Amino acid sequence: MSTSTKNKAAPSGAADFRDVTTAHTPFRTGSFVLRVAIAVIVIDFAWIVAKNENFGWPIVARYFLDPTVLSGLYVSLGLTVIAMILGVALGLVIAIARMSDDRLASSFASLFIWFFRGTPLLVQLIVWYNLSTLFPQLSIAIPFGPTLASWDTNSVITPMIAAIVGLALNEAAYMAEIIRGGLISVDRGQAETAQAFGMTKGRALWRIIIPQAMRSIVPPTGNQLISMIKATSIVSVIAMADLLYSVQSIYNRTFEIIPMLMVAVIWYLLITSVLNIGQSYIEAYYGRSDRRNGATAAKPAAAIEEVSH
Amino acid sequence: MTAVSSPSDANTKPLVQARNVHKSFDQLEVLKGIDLDIMPGEVVAVLGPSGSGKSTFLRCINHLEDIQQGYIEVDGEQIGYRVKNDRLEKLSQNGIARQRRKIGMVFQQFNLYPHMTVLQNIIEAPVGVHRESRKDAIENAKRLLERVGLSEKANAYPRQLSGGQQQRVAIARALAIKPKLMLFDEPTSALDPELVGEVLATMRDLAKQGLTMIVVTHEISFAREAADRVVFMDGGVIVEQGKPQDVIGNPQHPRTQAFLSRFL
């Protein structure tokens, strides 16, 4: 055995140095059988679902573009966009406050995060919706002084406002922690360099720190956005006619519960799929300075350098 | 300590004046009374073992670190403070930012902005902080890139450059704000040995052109050839200073001798 390997390694046996480009992949029977088995199970399952009349696919198709469903869809999307924008903006402010040297600002931020992450979203929404039982009147006043303006709470806090405020404040608490994590992940030397070049703190954040933090902020924010779309279905408890609420209102009439829920499920999946695609583009944008992604841009410069040598 | 004649005439005011500077991190006192004057156009190399406080002192000059006692002045302004109604008060963050705008700095780890191209790195402060027009800033940046020999890298990202190239870009970036004073914090310590030369060559070039420079370094040969004065620090104090040929060629203090003997 040992003598034969010795012979192969000898310079005279050069023919035995087989180049890997000549290698072929052998047929792996076990793997093939497993793949066939999985394929059969998947096809069978799909067939069962498609054939099962209880899913009511014709009804799904009929109601998929129903005006009630579409208006519910607009409400869900609108709520998601508005609550997310407000949540991210407020979350950024709270993240910066949390990291501030100012004790007052950082404790206020911690308190905010502690409260809104620590209580269920459902409870928060119901409290906002029922705010008038706590404060029948909302007024602008000088503290301990005269009232300047006053409104009836029920006329200010409509279901729409309660839903936006509830979702946005809850989202802000989570986004604050995500953004803080992103800001911390940026090398300390970057903030110091911006400082040394005479940048104000705001400018350093906006131009130097946040663009670098985005790489670690975007993926969890995508998660949050998808959670938010689904969280909007909770607002149906405060009589907001979102996507879930509108399919419910239809099946309360027609008793086609599963088909109508399938309509909602397919819409939710469609939206999240579109968002996933958007997220991958945003990630590619913030990762553009990586050698891997930037390699094509750098090539012409490198080529010129080689020529000039 | 010996008084050192400056390269410019005796009547000019020092650009940097430090008096009795003390700095502590919690209980650890790293600077124990530093006095130093630096004349306009002077190139000062600060040598010393690690932990001697030389980098900390450099960072105090542009107030990246605050000091607990003493006085630091750059170009006639006390750094980090101002006098109002005959009382000394701390400057606001924005006030300190304004003072830093005439001081360029080059870091050991280069600290280029990784999300920006080389050109964007250089024009960031001129356009965003010094309110130069974009067009002028780009023209000036291209001139500076030519000076450090990296014209063809204007559109590359820092990650695509070698360490030596990154540090030369960092030098160009610091020069772009037209500083009155340049601080170099161990600019070659993070470089592979074969890349040190190109950065030192760039710095020698700047020294010849009359830029005021304070260079914290371990490069004895650079200190000997390019510096007007060598300052040797150890244990938070200036142990010895003078002309390079005196301090490096004929050190008087035993600690300087011990430190330099390791480089022979």
Side-chain angles (χ1 to χ4, degrees):
Chain A
M1 187 65 186
S2 64
T3 45
S4 72
T5 39
K6 219 178 194 175
N7 286 342
K8 269 183 190 166
S12 57
D16 283 310
F17 294 125
R18 296 198 179 180
D19 194 287
V20 292
T21 52
T22 65
H24 77 284
T25 313
F27 184 77
R28 303 194 200 279
T29 319
S31 157
F32 178 75
V33 170
L34 191 66
R35 277 153 203 269
V36 169
I38 289 171
V40 167
I41 292 168
V42 168
I43 291 167
D44 185 49
F45 187 75
W47 180 247
I48 291 169
V49 170
K51 215 178 61 167
N52 187 334
E53 285 178 2
N54 295 333
F55 278 97
W57 296 117
I59 298 160
V60 171
R62 175 145 38 92
Y63 280 101
F64 195 66
L65 296 172
D66 187 271
T68 316
V69 172
L70 287 186
S71 74
L73 182 69
Y74 291 142
V75 169
S76 285
L77 283 177
L79 260 183
T80 304
V81 170
I82 294 170
M84 199 67 198
I85 289 171
L86 291 176
V88 169
L90 187 58
L92 177 65
V93 173
I94 291 167
I96 292 167
R98 177 98 199 260
M99 294 172 74
S100 151
D101 295 330
D102 189 304
R103 287 284 293 278
L104 183 71
S106 69
S107 2
F108 174 78
S110 301
L111 190 72
F112 181 96
I113 294 167
W114 169 78
F115 183 80
F116 283 99
R117 282 201 312 179
T119 53
L121 175 59
L122 182 60
V123 175
Q124 289 174 27
L125 281 171
I126 294 171
V127 169
W128 284 110
Y129 186 55
N130 293 298
L131 197 67
S132 62
T133 56
L134 289 173
F135 306 104
Q137 296 278 316
L138 294 178
S139 20
I140 296 175
I142 295 160
F144 306 108
T147 302
L148 302 176
S150 178
W151 299 272
D152 187 27
T153 302
N154 275 334
S155 65
V156 178
I157 308 287
T158 59
M160 179 59 119
I161 297 294
I164 290 173
V165 171
L167 289 171
L169 291 183
N170 188 267
E171 190 58 31
Y174 283 94
M175 282 309 301
E177 285 297 87
I178 289 172
I179 292 170
R180 188 171 71 96
L183 297 179
I184 290 172
S185 75
V186 178
D187 177 26
R188 180 81 194 83
Q190 292 289 313
E192 200 163 71
T193 307
Q195 240 185 327
F197 275 87
M199 288 190 204
T200 57
K201 281 204 164 163
R203 189 177 174 84
L205 258 178
W206 190 246
R207 293 285 302 171
I208 308 300
I209 310 299
I210 291 178
Q212 294 180 57
M214 284 307 272
R215 301 199 52 196
S216 44
I217 291 174
V218 170
T221 304
N223 249 347
Q224 287 301 112
L225 185 56
I226 286 168
S227 299
M228 173 67 91
I229 286 166
K230 293 179 292 174
T232 56
S233 66
I234 296 177
V235 303
S236 55
V237 300
I238 57 171
M240 271 292 287
D242 75 314
L243 181 55
L244 183 64
Y245 187 90
S246 48
V247 301
Q248 282 173 332
S249 71
I250 294 173
Y251 70 61
N252 283 340
R253 195 155 33 87
T254 64
F255 302 105
E256 285 149 339
I257 298 174
I258 294 294
M260 289 319 296
L261 286 179
M262 285 297 130
V263 170
V265 163
I266 294 169
W267 271 118
Y268 283 122
L269 282 175
L270 275 177
I271 298 165
T272 48
S273 309
V274 171
L275 289 177
N276 277 334
I277 297 167
Q279 183 182 338
S280 55
Y281 277 103
I282 294 172
E283 280 176 29
Y285 174 79
Y286 283 107
R288 70 194 183 283
S289 64
D290 262 3
R291 192 186 285 271
R292 252 179 314 165
N293 299 335
T296 44
K299 252 174 198 158
I304 290 165
E305 194 190 25
E306 269 166 27
V307 168
S308 66
H309 276 307
Chain B
M1 265 178 258
T2 48
V4 175
S5 60
S6 74
S8 34
D9 67 288
N11 295 327
T12 41
K13 198 173 175 293
L15 184 68
V16 180
Q17 298 189 67
R19 291 288 177 276
N20 192 30
V21 172
H22 286 257
K23 165 76 187 170
S24 308
F25 292 107
D26 294 322
Q27 298 302 312
L28 182 72
E29 194 177 25
V30 284
L31 298 179
K32 300 171 182 169
I34 304 282
D35 292 280
L36 191 66
D37 280 0
I38 290 163
M39 301 305 289
E42 202 178 6
V43 175
V44 175
V46 184
L47 303 179
S50 346
S52 60
K54 55 193 193 307
S55 276
T56 305
F57 176 62
L58 193 76
R59 291 159 58 80
C60 290
I61 294 174
N62 67 352
H63 210 270
L64 283 180
E65 306 283 356
D66 57 352
I67 60 176
Q68 270 85 51
Q69 194 190 327
Y71 175 93
I72 297 178
E73 175 190 299
V74 175
D75 197 27
E77 277 187 87
Q78 184 171 5
I79 293 299
Y81 297 84
R82 68 172 174 185
V83 175
K84 200 178 175 190
N85 300 330
D86 205 33
R87 280 160 52 129
L88 192 65
E89 65 175 29
K90 272 193 182 171
L91 270 177
S92 67
Q93 288 292 334
N94 288 355
I96 296 168
R98 195 183 41 75
Q99 286 185 334
R100 288 186 179 120
R101 287 176 194 171
K102 46 191 165 187
I103 306 172
M105 188 160 188
V106 174
F107 297 85
Q108 184 177 354
Q109 299 294 340
F110 333 134
N111 292 2
L112 293 178
Y113 311 130
H115 60 299
M116 294 182 179
T117 63
V118 165
L119 192 72
Q120 288 167 337
N121 261 279
I122 297 174
I123 66 170
E124 178 58 29
V127 173
V129 178
H130 296 258
R131 300 285 160 209
E132 266 180 51
S133 82
R134 211 181 157 74
K135 192 168 149 283
D136 292 350
I138 289 175
E139 266 174 32
N140 189 37
K142 287 187 172 156
R143 260 198 306 277
L144 288 168
L145 277 176
E146 206 176 294
R147 198 160 148 193
V148 299
L150 290 170
S151 293
E152 74 280 8
K153 297 291 186 190
N155 295 317
Y157 283 99
R159 258 178 259 255
Q160 297 158 350
L161 304 180
S162 73
Q165 290 172 331
Q166 288 191 46
Q167 194 61 300
R168 279 144 68 198
V169 171
I171 292 172
R173 175 177 69 169
L175 290 173
I177 63 168
K178 305 181 177 81
K180 291 199 163 178
L181 171 68
M182 278 280 275
L183 307 176
F184 293 85
D185 187 5
E186 305 199 22
T188 56
S189 297
L191 293 174
D192 291 336
E194 77 268 25
L195 301 177
V196 169
E198 59 188 78
V199 172
L200 291 182
T202 306
M203 289 168 59
R204 273 195 199 97
D205 187 39
L206 297 179
K208 272 188 218 135
Q209 290 169 26
L211 189 66
T212 314
M213 294 162 59
I214 307 177
V215 186
V216 169
T217 185
H218 291 291
E219 295 295 328
I220 305 295
S221 62
F222 173 80
R224 182 165 36 215
E225 291 154 30
D228 298 311
R229 175 160 45 131
V230 170
V231 172
F232 178 74
M233 279 180 71
D234 192 13
V237 294
I238 295 176
V239 174
E240 189 170 351
Q241 61 174 313
K243 288 212 158 63
Q245 61 266 32
D246 296 334
V247 176
I248 297 170
N250 183 23
Q252 300 302 311
H253 198 285
R255 278 192 281 178
T256 319
Q257 290 164 357
F259 177 78
L260 288 170
S261 69
R262 278 185 277 137
F263 292 92
L264 297 174

